[in-house]
Amino acid sequence: MKLIVRLTASLLIIWSPLGFAANDPGQAFTIQQVLSAPFPSGLIVAPAKGRVAWIFNAEGKRNIWIAEPAKDGKGYTAHQVTKYTDDDGQDIGDLAWAPDAESIAYVRGGDLEFSEKPYPNPADITAGVEQDVWVVAMSV
């Protein structure tokens, strides 16, 4: 539990909107900086191997990141495991580790809420959007 608290606190400090102000203390926040501030969510601990995963939203580009114990046994290393490059409005959520922590499943698309409404498509993707379950193998 302490690891989760430390990791979450570290992520919030590193990627917080305060990072914008720290670069130039005399400059005020812009609306763009506030609205595009990156943030992590959905932190989940793996049942094995000491791994954790979370969803990271940077300027609307949602991706899954994992952290795992460093090979030298000192600390953790983090890296991105999905490569979504567009701010297309498609949510990612419901992360679930495989029992051996060698893969992670997630839901992508729509708004992840159960409703009768059509899925949001703010990027006007001509093929439309669907909600699907994806599985990513850890190749690290």
Side-chain angles (χ1 to χ4, degrees):
M1 185 64 170
K2 290 180 183 178
L3 168 65
I4 294 172
V5 171
R6 278 191 242 154
L7 182 60
T8 303
S10 297
L11 290 172
L12 291 174
I13 290 168
I14 292 169
W15 290 312
S16 73
L18 297 176
F20 293 119
N23 294 335
D24 186 357
Q27 186 177 0
F29 288 124
T30 67
I31 295 294
Q32 179 62 30
Q33 288 173 323
V34 173
L35 294 177
S36 66
F39 61 92
S41 64
L43 185 68
I44 183 170
V45 177
K49 301 190 179 179
R51 293 175 171 165
V52 294
W54 65 94
I55 301 159
F56 189 67
N57 185 336
E59 297 178 345
K61 300 168 196 140
R62 296 162 182 90
N63 281 285
I64 297 173
W65 284 68
I66 67 162
E68 58 190 332
K71 296 196 188 301
D72 64 4
K74 298 178 183 177
Y76 276 69
T77 58
H79 62 276
Q80 185 176 332
V81 296
T82 58
K83 306 290 183 199
Y84 299 112
T85 59
D86 296 325
D87 176 7
D88 58 8
Q90 302 305 301
D91 275 342
I92 291 179
D94 297 333
L95 302 180
W97 283 102
D100 64 359
E102 286 299 325
S103 60
I104 191 164
Y106 63 97
V107 175
R108 182 172 190 271
D111 61 5
L112 303 184
E113 295 178 11
F114 300 111
S115 74
E116 300 298 319
K117 298 177 185 176
Y119 292 131
N121 187 3
D124 290 328
I125 300 168
T126 56
V129 296
E130 291 185 12
Q131 194 173 74
D132 294 310
V133 176
W134 296 83
V135 177
V136 175
M138 301 298 115
S139 59
V140 291

